[in-house]
Amino acid sequence: MTLSCIAVDDEPLALGLVCAFIEKTPFLQLAGRYSSAVEALEGLLSGPPVNVVFLDIQMPDLTGLELARVLERSNRGAHTTRIVFTTAFDQFALDGFRVDALDYLLKPFNYEEFLRAASKARQYFDLVQRTEPTPAAQALAAPSEMADDHLFLKVEYQLVRIAYNDILYIEGLKDYVKVYRQSEPDKPLLSLTSLKGLEEKLPANQFMRVHRSFIISLQRISAFTRNSVQIGSVVIPVSDQYKDVFGQFIGRWL
């Protein structure tokens, strides 16, 4: 697949180099070049979706990190736009990964290093494309949302039927979820979907979200406190955001 890209850098020479590298790479298409993050933000929010943003960090008015955080909170699709930071300062590496940057290029970088980051982006979007449901798969999965005892979940190249009573708990990992099951507790199922989306499909009388990263099966609780839940040998924290709802549930047992 061809990835749509933009380059953002307030240094003309650095901007020109990144643009030249993009145009040199067969699977990349240059969709825009911007000398400020403010201009780039306007283009991203008003124009067609962009797959990859090659983004400098230190810029006036709006930094690259600030732009990345804005994009993360925007309404664009979770898989639509990914960031590759380009900067002369390696102390920003940790901040870059905190905003879920796909990669980090330290200036001055050569074409080989650029191509490595671009290839990582292509691998990411290839994976997204392979794991997104086809119309036929969506049609097949739709009835499962109405099912009383199971759902179908897209796992790699197939739809897997998962019984509600087999689920122990579900862990959210950015764009993915891991479903832990009683039948195979050491082999969680990995699916490209959001925890929120899955939460909406699960019956509320059987499952509860207790943390931004965890949904638990209520029937699998083996022990609990006001701050944590134990399922088998696994202890799952209950975050402040969900303590009131969880407290109402456990109140019947206290």
Side-chain angles (χ1 to χ4, degrees), residues 176-228:
Y176 297 84
V177 296
K178 275 186 176 181
V179 180
Y180 291 83
R181 298 165 297 156
Q182 175 69 22
S183 57
E184 295 186 271
D186 297 327
K187 295 181 180 179
L189 297 175
L190 183 65
S191 178
L192 182 61
T193 187
S194 69
L195 197 64
K196 179 177 175 57
L198 191 54
E199 179 185 12
E200 293 172 352
K201 296 178 182 179
L202 295 169
N205 63 335
Q206 297 181 51
F207 297 90
M208 180 179 294
R209 190 164 184 174
V210 296
H211 189 276
R212 64 178 298 179
S213 299
F214 291 100
I215 295 173
I216 62 167
S217 169
L218 298 176
Q219 65 177 329
R220 295 295 183 178
I221 296 175
S222 53
F224 60 81
T225 69
R226 294 187 181 276
N227 301 310
S228 64

Side-chain angles (χ1 to χ4, degrees), residues 234-246:
V234 177
V235 177
I236 296 171
V238 178
S239 64
D240 292 340
Q241 181 180 356
Y242 299 96
K243 279 184 179 177
D244 288 343
V245 175
F246 183 67

